Amino acid sequence: QARTADEMHEALCGLGVVLAAEATREPGWPAWLAALSKAGRATRLQPQALWVAAERLALVQRVYPGAATEPALAALPDAGLDDAAEQPIAALLRMRLSGLGPVSARQLCEDFAVAFSTVRAGLLAQQAEGYAMVLAENADLDDEDRTWCERRLLARKHRYSREARRKTARPLPPA
């Protein structure tokens, strides 16, 4: 949860993009994004309505070639994202999954305004690397309805729920 413009910039860099709808729901975000935009540290991709940090603009433009930025902003060189040249959507999905929690492939398609085949390819690349997992309870659903999650985030949620269950269990007294 961002509390300042600098934290908003960190969130943009970490998540890859922030949806305009997400930004309007959170208090303070529109003002911080406007300040970052004015300072040349962020821009809004049109017509996708995605906020992007200047450091991630080159990657995002590989997913949306020819998309306009508002305000106009020159892309900075990608730092450490050279391996994403083959599948930029996979790198962008990696960033988004790190902050979203469980999310369906259908929702990712809607968020990114890209075809399901594009999102599917990115998710399968993340799964092959061991980064993303399909939740077991919906593995038999259609591909678009499957819920995906970053592996470490899912493990952390599992650990928290296991610890909570252990706290409620009480040992029996000896007989």
Side-chain angles (χ1 to χ4, degrees):
Q1 187 65 288
R3 296 169 292 184
T4 65
D6 286 334
E7 287 182 7
M8 185 76 247
H9 186 258
E10 283 183 40
L12 277 174
C13 288
L15 293 173
V17 297
V18 168
L19 307 176
E22 291 172 333
T24 57
R25 282 194 308 259
E26 299 295 331
W29 284 23
W32 296 326
L33 288 166
L36 290 171
S37 178
K38 187 176 180 181
R41 296 175 67 195
T43 188
R44 189 171 169 178
L45 207 66
Q46 299 293 359
Q48 292 79 12
L50 301 172
W51 283 97
V52 184
E55 294 84 350
R56 298 291 183 244
L57 186 56
L59 171 68
V60 175
Q61 285 177 330
R62 286 188 235 153
V63 177
Y64 304 102
T69 57
E70 184 184 307
L73 185 63
L76 299 175
D78 279 343
L81 294 174
D82 294 333
D83 59 328
E86 291 179 22
Q87 276 201 5
I89 190 69
L92 196 55
L93 284 169
R94 174 184 290 267
M95 291 179 217
R96 281 295 283 177
L97 286 174
S98 71
L100 284 182
V103 62
S104 72
R106 183 183 311 274
Q107 185 63 50
L108 291 169
C109 290
E110 291 172 13
D111 290 351
F112 287 121
V114 296
F116 172 70
S117 60
T118 304
V119 169
R120 184 175 188 272
L123 289 170
L124 290 176
Q126 295 306 311
Q127 186 179 36
E129 292 178 18
Y131 186 81
M133 297 176 66
V134 175
L135 297 186
E137 67 257 13
N138 64 26
D140 57 340
L141 296 176
D142 291 339
D143 282 353
E144 289 184 25
D145 295 322
R146 289 183 181 168
T147 302
W148 292 78
C149 191
E150 187 228 354
R151 183 182 53 82
R152 283 179 275 173
L153 182 60
L154 191 59
R156 187 170 51 227
K157 289 178 73 160
H158 176 69
R159 185 176 65 244
Y160 290 153
S161 68
R162 185 182 62 226
E163 289 171 2
R165 287 191 310 270
R166 284 183 179 166
K167 286 179 184 177
T168 61
R170 299 175 194 253
L172 293 173

